[in-house]
Amino acid sequence: MHLRPLYNRLLPYLLSAPALVLMFLFLIGPIMAVLFLSFTDWQLGETAFRITGLENYLTLFSDELFLRSMRNTAFYIVMTVPTTLIFGLVGAMLILQSGAMRKLYQTIYFLPFMGTAVAMLIVWEFVLHPTIGVWGMIAQWFNLDPVNLLRNEHTALPILALISIWQNVGFAIVLFMAGLSGIPEEMYEAGALDGADGVFSKFSLITWPLISHVTFFVFILLTVHSFQIFESVAVLTKGGPNDATEVLTYTMYKEGFDYFRTNIASAITVVFLTGVGALVLIKAAWLEKKVHYQ
Amino acid sequence: MASITMNTIRKSYGPVDVLKNISLEIKDGEFISLLGSSGCGKSTLLRIISGLEQQTSGTLHIGGKDMTNVPPKQRSVSMVFQSYALYPHLTVFENMAVPLIMRTMSRTQRFPVLGKYIGSARSIRKEIRAKVLALAESLDIHHLLDRNPSQLSGGQRQRVALGRAMVRDPEVFLMDEPLSNLDTKMRAHMRTELAEIHQKLGSTFVYVTHDQEEAMTMSDRVALMMNGQLMQVATPREIYRKPVHKSVAEFIGAPKINILSGAIVERGVMEVCGVRTAVPGELQANASLGIRPSRLQPAPESSGTWQAQVITVEDMGSSFLLHCELSDGTRTISRIDSRSVVPERGANIHLAPQADCAMFFDANGWNHACHPHLDSDTLHAFSTTPPADSNADHAQGTKEYALASAV
């Protein structure tokens, strides 16, 4: 007789249980484990460990290589995100004006984002090769010294940034195009009558404010994406030359899977997750409150 | 203040002609409505006046100046859009200030933060502020100035859109169905308000609508458009009483005019549903007779009445609508006073058309009483000339034919 209300009360939990279990197993569980491991001295293969508190973090923040990878990651983000954003927005505006060719351009720009990263990076390696690559040929034409851009301390990280921009600009274009086509034509017509008929006045009065939410979304997404840079470093530079392309995720990988220092790798992961988590929180808070005006 | 002169304006999109040789003169300070069903080209004409679109051929003058290739912002016109097109990210105050800021301040002065230190930016902003505040006060939206458009009701948005249009004192106001997003009550209210604003400002108003009630109640003249052509331009009174064409007669007036087809049995005599009527001698075969529902009333049987059966009776409160079927199957509508005796559904009655209010249309649909012997081109030119006085009776000298008793 009393079973029915109990069943009703339990039903929501039963229905959400599979998702909760999976989330716990593959998301929350591992994060908790990593967090815990970052406070221990456990290394892969060992049977015992002890709690060391903040020791791993202290080691990390006094390690020159880690600090270098932090700086490199930040520098990489600064190089890629604004450029991708600007090229994405300009590209989207141009494509929207292109009429019949619109779909073709959209597809062409989006292809790098859809392709397999490793395959494309191998192509890039060939393109950038100083003797047999396209870069070598161009350098020869202009009588330049065909330096190996990926083996040069000053050019390696900017080149990786360039590849990332090439790869992500199509993604930004698609999102911006969606945002731009959401602006009612009447806004521009009202603007034209109000006196905003130049390219800049139209952009500052109407376009830019009305796609602010898209811009912010793309900005966060690109930042998180840049934070996660790994494939290009692993395939093209392996962190070199002279640690010039050592980035957070690659350092984490080396610590965990080359040196088996799981505790240090865990601490780096926590630092990484904190950064990404902060961005996601900012996005959630800001996007809902400030940018969303309708 | 400015008059608007359009001369043989044509607009085509590829092979499709949206506007076909529109010639229209709008007087300075006039309130004219462009009335027509959707797709008739009325909005396109308004957009051509605003400069948002260019005519394919023909000329447009505003205040005597040729407007070909003049961009919208250099025309002294303001527009209120159907969707209001308020900037969603700006407050009501900022929305209203935009036209002034864009016109009176340089690009550097408009620059955020630093702009206010350039030249006389501060004093210009102060003047703009004063002007917007005064206008907001007069439109009774001063308490909404800090809100965003999304926080306003339909009527309030409408007022803000009006304010944005009024703030820079344009010579011509263009309105593209501005009341169609409001509820009935608010629409009636805003109608009165718009008419008052027009009287107060004395500017030229061009008002696009598909709602004949709006056009008839607010305008000095109504320009009725169909299929990209101007069918008739006349005062509301005239367009209702002397429509030049059957289609105009059918468009204007609710409920719709009764059109009864007749046969010319001999020269000057038409038979409509068994009743013979004297008509102008020039009327040929396939002519028809039009009679407004209010002029077709139940009456005692006589030789000049039609026998009819009541199909339905609609109670409209102040009146009743009587849907009847004549003996030859033609359906008619009569509007009868709520105080009169209302026949029951299914009753057999007689309907008498009020003699002096019948209209005769020839085989092509032209109103014979209004413009006998004119071909369609001449008619067109005639219909678009503005009256010297809005009350002038253009039908002077035209003949009205009384329905005669059976011959």
Side-chain angles (χ1 to χ4, degrees), chain B residues 226-243:
Chain B
M226 277 177 186
N227 299 321
Q229 280 178 308
L230 273 178
M231 290 301 292
Q232 187 170 7
V233 184
T235 60
R237 189 185 173 90
E238 191 183 339
I239 208 166
Y240 181 77
R241 296 193 176 182
K242 297 184 180 71

Side-chain angles (χ1 to χ4, degrees), chain B residues 114-292:
Chain B
L114 296 176
K116 62 180 167 195
Y117 299 107
I118 296 168
S120 51
R122 277 179 186 223
S123 65
I124 299 176
R125 282 209 185 258
K126 223 171 165 181
E127 279 169 35
I128 292 175
R129 186 166 180 83
K131 188 153 191 195
V132 171
L133 289 182
L135 181 61
E137 191 85 34
S138 75
L139 283 170
D140 199 23
I141 47 172
H142 54 284
H143 58 294
L144 308 171
L145 286 174
D146 293 329
R147 296 202 199 163
N148 274 359
S150 58
Q151 296 166 296
L152 305 179
S153 70
Q156 289 170 333
R157 280 182 211 191
Q158 168 73 69
R159 251 172 244 248
V160 176
L162 264 175
R164 187 177 64 176
M166 286 163 69
V167 76
R168 61 188 174 84
D169 306 319
E171 293 176 323
V172 177
F173 278 92
L174 306 173
M175 308 204 174
D176 192 1
E177 311 220 13
L179 305 185
S180 57
N181 286 343
L182 301 178
D183 60 51
T184 321
K185 213 171 154 189
M186 196 64 203
R187 206 179 298 171
H189 176 75
M190 285 308 290
R191 227 162 49 195
T192 325
E193 206 152 294
L194 273 179
E196 278 170 15
I197 288 174
H198 172 245
Q199 271 172 8
K200 203 165 96 186
L201 298 178
S203 321
T204 312
F205 274 51
V206 185
Y207 188 97
V208 161
T209 181
H210 64 270
D211 184 338
Q212 50 164 305
E213 204 178 310
E214 280 175 22
M216 302 291 273
T217 48
M218 292 193 285
S219 329
D220 296 324
R221 280 193 303 155
V222 176
L224 186 79
M225 291 182 70
M226 277 177 186
N227 299 321
Q229 280 178 308
L230 273 178
M231 290 301 292
Q232 187 170 7
V233 184
T235 60
R237 189 185 173 90
E238 191 183 339
I239 208 166
Y240 181 77
R241 296 193 176 182
K242 297 184 180 71
V244 294
H245 193 268
K246 192 161 74 178
S247 53
V248 177
E250 284 178 315
F251 193 91
I252 302 281
K256 211 165 113 174
I257 192 170
N258 297 297
I259 300 286
L260 300 111
S261 53
I264 303 292
V265 285
E266 59 188 81
R267 191 180 156 79
V269 180
M270 180 160 90
E271 189 177 293
V272 181
C273 193
V275 175
R276 289 193 171 199
T277 302
V279 293
E282 299 83 6
L283 271 185
Q284 304 282 316
N286 297 327
S288 49
L289 177 148
I291 185 91
R292 297 274 175 208

Side-chain angles (χ1 to χ4, degrees), chain A residues 211-220 282-283 286-287 291:
Chain A
I211 55 160
S212 58
H213 58 299
V214 180
T215 313
F216 191 72
F217 180 70
V218 176
F219 173 78
I220 294 290
I282 292 170
K283 173 185 155 282
W286 187 274
L287 207 60
V291 191

Side-chain angles (χ1 to χ4, degrees), chain B residues 94-128:
Chain B
E94 289 163 335
N95 262 288
M96 287 173 67
V98 164
L100 294 177
I101 291 175
M102 297 309 288
R103 278 180 162 73
T104 53
M105 300 180 81
S106 68
R107 190 176 293 163
T108 43
Q109 284 176 328
R110 296 200 302 263
F111 204 78
V113 189
L114 296 176
K116 62 180 167 195
Y117 299 107
I118 296 168
S120 51
R122 277 179 186 223
S123 65
I124 299 176
R125 282 209 185 258
K126 223 171 165 181
E127 279 169 35
I128 292 175

Side-chain angles (χ1 to χ4, degrees), chain A residues 186-198 200-202 204-206 209-210 293-294, chain B residues 47 50 52 72-73 77 79 81 83 85-89 98-99 102-103 107 110 150 164 168:
Chain A
E186 279 193 350
M187 283 290 139
Y188 290 108
E189 293 180 345
L193 283 155
D194 286 344
D197 55 357
F200 289 105
S201 49
K202 266 203 283 198
S204 61
L205 178 70
I206 299 159
L210 291 189
Y293 44 78
Q294 280 181 325
Chain B
R47 291 165 63 81
S50 71
L52 292 173
K73 79 166 177 183
V77 298
M79 189 155 161
F81 292 84
S83 65
L86 297 175
Y87 306 115
H89 56 290
V98 164
M102 297 309 288
R103 278 180 162 73
R107 190 176 293 163
R110 296 200 302 263
S150 58
R164 187 177 64 176
R168 61 188 174 84

